[in-house]
């Protein structure tokens, strides 16, 4: 082995993966060092790695490898609930009190045992902080005022949750299996609290979990490094995972070919086809509970017109976009429940119809169209899709002002309701129809200081009647009737909503032939690194 390669191994193992991307290209290295997996991925969506706040794809994926929850769902059977930290659980006769017994011997990365106090602290900080994903927990009636009584520990291994209303056990468990249900170590996090931030400032870039890995560092739009948790219940196969932000798919492929990366996560359809028959690589794929859609802010005078919303849905060339831009990465899907979730509609009522779209615009009072701002992630393939949408809308007279940006900037803008149009991704948080129904068809309070800031809220879509129908669906105990209710909600949503549902993600990872054990999850936080290893 040459001196140069030996030095590289030592440097990378100690953190040299933080070298700039152009430095990696110049180095022409043959392979990554033993015990280290280097992934190339677009990771500029990360805004925080605190599980009480993280609500993006990459952040959720990292939290899923750093933390455990009370319960989880296995990738091979995502509708089945299994214990993670919880050994067992029971529900009271009135379906309002739920008791969890923790497994013995579970330990945080610090070496300390996971206790019921840690679970209580974790849930209470979600409620108190009330960050973006908090509604998943708050919907059961937990508030800052009542959480001491409704979220409590009765002994070191027993947690008791009391909901405001009778609740189906499976629905509560699905919600607790979301990334926001991650359990943090109370002593570590509370010891780093500043004022009333519950340790949020520190936990944005650090970790205090009991999962397979711990966070070493996160540098925005650069990299994330994870180290194996020495106290994990099952030791991970690889000691270090390095995730580098590589926004260009061509750079990802080149790095994979040169041996700089073990895994490429964002290759284009053409690139995937190119490596599929090459025995130097393995192509992994998974249909994700993840949707690409356009949000139309109802604060915009033109976009608030029902005819305009439908005209936009009828102007887009869904088939052309899927066939020509993302044939291996996305499938056409036009309902808010992704295929694979119970009750998902698979029909496709919208096709490109320029004449019909123009008639609708004229009915709305815009025969000559109008200008509108259009926010989108600039990276491939989303940037390419946005340009296709721009061309489609121009055919009916709508003139988008294109505003490309990093993913987290687009997300932050839409969370503040400052967009007109925005092209976005949404992934289900748990394996139940309500995960998406609540996001897309509930807005109980359209005020600026609303507690539950759903996607409908972000689009300023005031829908009291649809909100009540969505609540009725989640409370329905008859399984068949409940599915029918979600089907009806989706049809109404297609007809009136300010959301243009376009595509469902088919996530693809290309790994070098010597890499084994990569598991892509149906949900982002189920993508698992613990078994990844290379020969």
């Amino acid at each position: 082995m040459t001196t140069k390669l030996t030095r590289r191994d030592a440097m990378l193992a100690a953190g040299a993966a933080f070298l700039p991307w152009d430095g990696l290209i110049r180095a022409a290295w043959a392979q990554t060092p033993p015990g280290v997996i280097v992934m190339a991925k677009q990771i500029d969506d990360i805004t925080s790695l605190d599980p009480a706040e993280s609500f993006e794809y990459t952040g959720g994926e990292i939290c899923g490898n750093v933390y455990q929850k009370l319960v989880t769902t296995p990738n091979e059977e995502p509708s089945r609930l299994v214990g993670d930290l919880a050994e067992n659980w029971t529900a009271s006769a009135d379906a309002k009190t739920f008791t969890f017994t923790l497994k013995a011997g579970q330990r945080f990365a610090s070496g300390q045992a996971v206790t019921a106090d840690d679970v209580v602290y974790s849930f209470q900080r979600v409620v108190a902080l009330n960050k973006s994903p908090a509604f998943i927990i708050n919907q059961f009636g937990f508030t800052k005022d009542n959480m001491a009584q409704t979220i409590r520990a009765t002994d070191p291994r027993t947690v008791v949750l009391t909901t405001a209303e009778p609740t189906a056990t499976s629905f509560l468990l699905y919600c607790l299996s979301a990334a926001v249900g991650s359990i943090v170590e109370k002593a570590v996090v509370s010891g780093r609290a500043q004022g009333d931030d519950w340790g949020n400032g520190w936990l944005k870039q650090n970790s205090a979990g009991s999962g397979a890995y711990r966070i070493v560092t996160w540098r925005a739009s650069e990299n994330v490094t994870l180290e194996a948790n020495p106290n994990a219940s099952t030791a991970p196969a690889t000691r270090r995972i390095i995730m580098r932000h590589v926004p260009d798919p061509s750079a990802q492929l080149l790095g994979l070919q040169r041996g700089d990366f073990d895994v490429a996560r964002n290759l284009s359809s053409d690139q995937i086809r190119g490596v599929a028959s090459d025995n130097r690589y393995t192509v992994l794929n998974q249909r994700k509970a993840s949707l690409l859609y356009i949000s139309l802010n109802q604060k915009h005078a033109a976009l608030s017109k029902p005819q305009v919303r439908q005209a936009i849905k009828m102007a887009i060339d869904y088939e052309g976009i899927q066939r020509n831009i993302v044939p291996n990465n996305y499938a056409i899907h036009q309902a808010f429940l992704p295929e694979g979730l119970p009750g998902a509609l698979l029909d496709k009522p919208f096709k490109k119809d320029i004449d019909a779209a123009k008639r609708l615009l004229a009915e709305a009072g815009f025969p000559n169209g109008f200008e509108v701002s259009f926010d989108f992630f600039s990276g491939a393939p989303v940037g390419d899709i946005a340009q296709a949408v721009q061309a489609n809308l121009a055919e009916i007279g709508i003139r988008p002002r294109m505003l490309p940006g990093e993913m987290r900037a687009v997300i932050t803008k839409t969370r503040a309701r400052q967009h007109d149009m925005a092209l976005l991704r949404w992934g289900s948080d748990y394996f139940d129809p309500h995960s998406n129904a609540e996001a897309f068809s509930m807005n109980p309070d359209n005020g600026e200081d609303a507690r539950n800031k759903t996607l409908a809220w972000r689009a300023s879509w005031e829908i009291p009647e649809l909100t009540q129908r969505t609540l009725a669906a989640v409370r329905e105990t008859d399984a068949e009737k409940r599915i029918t209710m979600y089907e009806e909600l989706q049809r109404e949503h297609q007809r009136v909503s300010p959301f243009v549902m376009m595509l469902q993600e088919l996530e693809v990872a290309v790994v070098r032939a010597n890499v084994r054990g990569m598991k892509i999850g149906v949900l982002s936080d189920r993508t698992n690194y613990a078994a990844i290893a290379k020969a």
Side-chain angles (χ1 to χ4, degrees):
M1 184 178 293
T2 67
T3 302
K4 183 176 182 180
L5 186 58
T6 303
R7 182 180 177 216
R8 169 192 176 260
D9 286 357
M11 288 179 67
L12 185 54
F18 304 148
L19 288 171
W21 164 242
D22 58 356
L24 284 175
I25 290 293
R26 290 193 303 269
W29 295 327
Q31 62 180 355
T32 57
V36 179
I37 292 289
V38 182
M39 295 185 191
K41 189 179 187 296
Q42 296 166 353
I43 64 170
D44 62 348
D45 60 325
I46 303 175
T47 61
S48 172
L49 295 176
D50 181 347
E53 181 177 31
S54 179
F55 210 34
E56 298 79 40
Y57 283 77
T58 307
E61 181 176 315
I62 292 167
C63 287
N65 286 278
V66 169
Y67 297 97
Q68 291 178 282
K69 284 93 72 171
L70 285 180
V71 295
T72 189
T73 56
N75 280 331
E76 63 274 13
E77 194 178 347
S79 62
R80 181 167 64 94
L81 288 153
V82 298
D84 196 3
L85 287 171
E87 183 175 79
N88 56 60
W89 50 85
T90 60
S92 62
D94 65 357
K96 293 175 66 175
T97 302
F98 302 85
T99 303
F100 296 84
T101 302
L102 302 185
K103 296 176 182 177
Q106 301 296 300
R107 295 191 176 278
F108 290 108
S110 68
Q112 295 300 306
V114 179
T115 71
D117 280 342
D118 296 302
V119 177
V120 169
Y121 176 79
S122 299
F123 291 164
Q124 288 184 350
R125 73 184 294 272
V126 170
V127 174
L129 287 171
N130 196 31
K131 300 290 186 179
S132 292
F135 69 87
I136 298 170
I137 302 296
N138 290 341
Q139 66 184 310
F140 297 104
F142 304 129
T143 68
K144 198 170 183 178
D145 292 334
N146 70 21
M147 64 186 188
Q149 293 75 44
T150 58
I151 306 172
R152 56 196 177 91
T154 56
D155 65 50
R157 289 182 56 200
T158 306
V159 177
V160 179
L161 305 179
T162 304
T163 59
E165 302 289 340
T167 302
T169 302
S170 61
F171 179 59
L172 174 68
L173 296 179
Y174 279 131
C175 292
L176 296 181
S177 76
V180 72
S182 299
I183 306 306
V184 306
E185 185 175 1
K186 178 180 179 179
V188 171
V189 178
S190 62
R192 290 162 172 80
Q194 299 292 322
D196 59 356
D197 83 338
W198 289 74
N200 172 249
W202 180 80
L203 211 57
K204 283 176 181 285
Q205 300 185 64
N206 297 279
S207 63
S210 56
Y213 288 90
R214 66 181 184 86
I215 296 169
V216 175
T217 186
W218 162 47
R219 297 181 182 178
S221 299
E222 290 187 22
N223 53 68
V224 177
T225 300
L226 307 179
E227 289 277 7
N229 172 6
N231 298 296
S233 56
T234 301
T238 294
R239 64 182 174 83
R240 174 172 287 192
I241 304 290
I242 298 172
M243 189 180 291
R244 291 194 52 83
H245 177 53
V246 184
D248 181 6
S250 295
Q252 290 195 19
L253 178 59
L254 178 61
L256 189 72
Q257 292 168 332
R258 295 165 72 98
D260 301 332
F261 305 135
D262 300 296
V263 184
R265 300 287 299 276
N266 303 106
L267 298 190
S268 70
S269 290
D270 288 343
Q271 292 166 339
I272 293 166
R273 281 196 298 267
V275 301
S277 59
D278 191 329
N279 62 12
R280 293 177 298 172
Y281 311 104
T282 302
V283 179
L284 310 175
N285 56 71
Q286 172 68 59
R287 181 179 285 270
K288 301 265 293 186
S290 169
L291 302 173
L292 188 74
Y293 70 98
I294 300 172
S295 174
L296 308 174
N297 196 332
Q298 298 303 281
K299 290 181 178 180
H300 188 282
L303 298 178
S304 68
K305 302 287 187 181
Q307 300 98 322
V308 171
R309 299 196 294 261
Q310 293 305 91
I312 292 173
K313 294 173 187 178
M314 298 178 72
I316 293 174
D317 184 4
Y318 304 90
E319 293 181 359
I321 289 171
Q322 192 277 334
R323 180 179 62 251
N324 297 319
I325 301 177
V326 286
N328 296 309
N329 305 89
Y330 285 89
I332 298 171
H333 191 78
Q334 296 179 345
F336 69 63
L337 287 182
E339 182 177 342
L341 262 66
L345 284 186
L346 303 183
D347 60 325
K348 303 175 181 66
F350 302 108
K351 294 183 182 295
K352 183 178 180 180
D353 188 335
I354 297 301
D355 291 339
K358 284 183 174 180
R359 285 195 298 271
L360 286 168
L361 279 186
E363 288 178 18
F366 299 98
N368 300 314
F370 55 88
E371 289 191 359
V372 63
S373 66
F374 188 16
D375 290 276
F376 60 95
F377 167 53
S378 57
V382 177
D384 299 325
I385 294 171
Q387 291 178 30
V389 170
Q390 177 192 30
N392 292 158
L393 296 183
E395 292 184 69
I396 65 171
I398 296 177
R399 301 174 294 281
R401 286 180 282 107
M402 306 296 276
L403 300 174
E406 286 194 329
M407 197 177 299
R408 66 174 171 273
V410 177
I411 292 168
T412 300
K413 189 172 182 179
T414 57
R415 284 178 177 169
R417 306 206 282 191
Q418 294 175 350
H419 66 294
D420 291 344
M421 290 176 51
L423 183 60
L424 301 159
R425 295 165 70 205
W426 173 261
S428 303
D429 294 296
Y430 48 91
F431 205 78
D432 184 274
H434 191 65
S435 178
N436 279 33
E438 180 178 25
F440 284 101
S441 60
M442 278 188 66
N443 186 9
D445 178 0
N446 199 44
E448 291 299 319
D449 59 348
R451 180 174 174 81
N452 193 349
K453 297 181 178 180
T454 63
L455 300 184
W457 178 89
R458 295 181 196 177
S460 309
W461 191 33
E462 196 161 7
I463 43 170
E465 189 270 339
L466 202 60
T467 296
Q468 291 305 312
R469 286 175 56 186
T470 306
L471 282 172
V474 73
R475 293 168 179 164
E476 177 55 55
T477 57
D478 183 289
E480 290 187 9
K481 186 176 180 181
R482 187 170 183 242
I483 292 300
T484 298
M485 294 171 76
Y486 283 115
E487 290 172 344
E488 292 172 349
L489 280 170
Q490 288 170 93
R491 291 192 178 94
E492 178 72 4
H493 198 267
Q494 288 172 331
R495 190 178 67 83
V496 303
S497 81
F499 299 107
V500 185
M501 314 307 299
M502 294 180 60
L503 300 162
Q504 180 171 350
E505 184 177 3
L506 308 173
E507 183 169 347
V508 179
V510 178
V511 305
R512 291 173 66 85
N514 64 332
V515 175
R516 298 286 185 273
M518 174 88 181
K519 295 182 180 179
I520 304 175
V522 175
L523 307 177
S524 290
D525 68 312
R526 304 305 198 272
T527 294
N528 191 280
Y529 307 156
I532 299 178
K534 61 186 177 185

